[in-house]
Amino acid sequence: MLKIGVLVSGGGTNLQAIIDKIESGYIKNCSIVTVVSSKPGVYALERAKKHNIPAVCIARKDYPSVYEYGEALIRHFEGLNVDLVVMAGFLSILEENFVRRYQNRIINIHPALIPSFCGKGYYGIIPHQKALEYGVKVTGATVHFVDVEADAGPIILQKAVYIKDDDTPETLQKRVMEEAEWEILPEAIKLFSEGRLEIEGRKVRIKEV
Ligand code: GRF
């Protein structure tokens, strides 16, 4: 059974997509053993509780540094023998020690086609605002392994979403979430759980069944 720890900071729609795919049996032999929010009172915590998943807030603001915060997260995840850490709308920085401890076992969903519209300061609605400002015709979402540099780890899956002339950042964000994020994040977890992801330098090869 693959033990999954999910890091959240907001509404938890990506968390919900994972829960739904596990409960439907599409993702097998996986269990979300903990949901950790970096902020108190977010709806992601309610979603976890509705599905009887242990959920806690380990608030970033309660720790004097990124390092101490990372150490607290490591203690939490190690205590539960977590095998895979999933960042699902998580808005805090994971410090280097954490990334090294869970090297190639942390995945993140980013709301753009990396390397476009990513890196420091590109989160939530901002990538969609920048995509519209730039005038790109296609955007989408990316699931990648987490490395020490933000949004720079080997890419696992991407899905494109075409931009419409009347899109606003809000309508675009909603369509990218519905058509891309909520599909490729659970899919990446399924592939990981089946041992089908092979990292070769910057590339991730998906092994056939
Ligand atoms: C979404 O834009 C997602 O792409 C980004 O965080 C935002 C909120 O996600 N990673 P969620 O609803 O909390 O999963």
Side-chain angles (χ1 to χ4, degrees):
M1 181 68 75
L2 188 80
K3 294 185 176 67
I4 299 171
V6 183
L7 289 168
V8 297
S9 299
T13 62
N14 279 286
L15 166 67
Q16 189 65 56
I18 301 164
I19 291 170
D20 294 348
K21 289 285 174 66
I22 290 174
E23 289 186 351
S24 71
Y26 180 72
I27 296 177
K28 297 177 174 37
N29 304 317
C30 288
S31 170
I32 300 174
V33 296
T34 184
V35 170
V36 177
S37 175
S38 62
K39 292 180 184 172
V42 296
Y43 192 61
L45 293 171
E46 294 311 309
R47 292 182 190 271
K49 285 172 188 152
K50 280 182 185 169
H51 291 266
N52 301 315
I53 297 169
V56 290
C57 173
I58 300 180
R60 171 66 187 87
K61 65 177 172 47
D62 294 343
Y63 294 84
S65 73
V66 173
Y67 176 77
E68 271 100 334
Y69 186 55
E71 290 305 297
L73 292 177
I74 289 174
R75 280 194 300 276
H76 179 76
F77 286 140
E78 282 190 339
L80 293 165
N81 297 313
V82 163
D83 301 305
L84 173 66
V85 177
V86 177
M87 296 167 68
F90 185 66
L91 298 180
S92 279
I93 303 293
L94 286 180
E95 49 93 22
E96 185 164 346
N97 200 33
F98 183 99
V99 174
R100 295 272 176 250
R101 177 70 188 73
Y102 285 94
Q103 188 82 37
N104 298 332
R105 295 192 293 144
I106 313 170
I107 62 176
N108 178 51
I109 177 81
H110 180 73
L113 295 176
I114 291 174
S116 296
F117 311 116
C118 67
K120 194 167 166 48
Y122 283 87
Y123 57 86
I125 196 91
I126 296 167
H128 305 296
Q129 288 168 339
K130 298 297 182 186
L132 291 173
E133 283 167 20
Y134 196 97
V136 295
K137 299 299 182 183
V138 177
T139 186
T142 302
V143 182
H144 62 95
F145 282 109
V146 171
D147 204 336
V148 286
E149 192 189 334
D151 299 332
I155 291 172
I156 301 168
L157 292 172
Q158 292 186 299
K159 184 163 184 189
V161 171
Y162 281 83
I163 284 173
K164 297 178 178 173
D165 290 344
D166 59 352
D167 262 327
T168 64
E170 292 71 20
T171 60
L172 181 56
Q173 178 180 46
K174 184 171 180 294
R175 200 160 69 253
V176 167
M177 290 169 90
E178 288 169 350
E179 297 181 9
E181 296 181 36
W182 299 346
E183 189 178 311
I184 62 175
L185 183 56
E187 188 63 27
I189 292 168
K190 178 178 170 65
L191 292 169
F192 185 96
S193 71
E194 294 169 352
R196 293 178 55 198
L197 299 178
E198 202 154 83
I199 301 177
E200 296 165 358
R202 261 221 58 83
K203 293 198 175 72
V204 176
R205 194 166 63 81
I206 298 174
K207 292 187 282 188
E208 290 310 309
V209 176

